[in-house]
Amino acid sequence: MHIPILVLTLILAAVFVGTAVPKLTGQAQMRERMEHLGVSPGLTRLLGVLELAAVAGLLLGLLWPPLGIAAAIGLALQMVGAVVYHARAKDPAAMTLTPVIFAVAAVALVVLHVLQG
């Protein structure tokens, strides 16, 4: 079961590095997207920091699973928050589905870690 954990961890880590960096650097497209959702620049930066911390936790979780579990739970909760913000902004279902998929993937990683336990 180690290979599915490794693959899912690397996918989640890559995706969230890819979303965290634009939030932290204030990339124009990310600023516009977050502004559309009603997220302040300060909260956007905080979300970027949390995502990078989660990436570190996911990767270190390959060595110490409890940390990976905690990081994956944190990501799942952050994605639930993203779903709420997308719904409040009345975004199309396809746009709201993206954080749902990543929340499910994070929960799947938790389950895999626990089963490997």
Side-chain angles (χ1 to χ4, degrees), residues 8 20 44 54-55 57 62-63 67 87 97 111 117:
L8 193 50
T44 298
V55 167
L62 295 171
L63 301 173
L67 185 56
L97 185 60
V111 170

Side-chain angles (χ1 to χ4, degrees), residues 7-64:
V7 170
L8 193 50
T9 296
L10 293 177
I11 290 169
L12 287 170
V15 166
F16 283 99
V17 163
T19 61
V21 171
K23 288 175 183 161
L24 290 171
T25 60
Q27 180 190 45
Q29 185 178 10
M30 181 60 76
R31 274 196 329 263
E32 292 168 10
R33 189 177 320 159
M34 297 304 275
E35 189 176 294
H36 161 75
L37 295 174
V39 178
S40 70
L43 181 54
T44 298
R45 283 188 297 279
L46 175 61
L47 293 171
V49 168
L50 291 173
E51 288 172 358
L52 282 183
V55 167
L58 291 173
L59 294 173
L60 290 171
L62 295 171
L63 301 173
W64 189 52

Side-chain angles (χ1 to χ4, degrees), residues 33 35-38 82-92 95-96:
R33 189 177 320 159
E35 189 176 294
H36 161 75
L37 295 174
V83 169
V84 170
Y85 272 83
H86 282 287
R88 283 186 5 199
K90 297 183 180 7
D91 282 338
M95 195 172 248
T96 304

Side-chain angles (χ1 to χ4, degrees), residues 61-84:
L62 295 171
L63 301 173
W64 189 52
L67 185 56
I69 291 169
I73 290 170
L75 278 178
L77 292 173
Q78 186 169 338
M79 291 301 96
V80 169
V83 169
V84 170

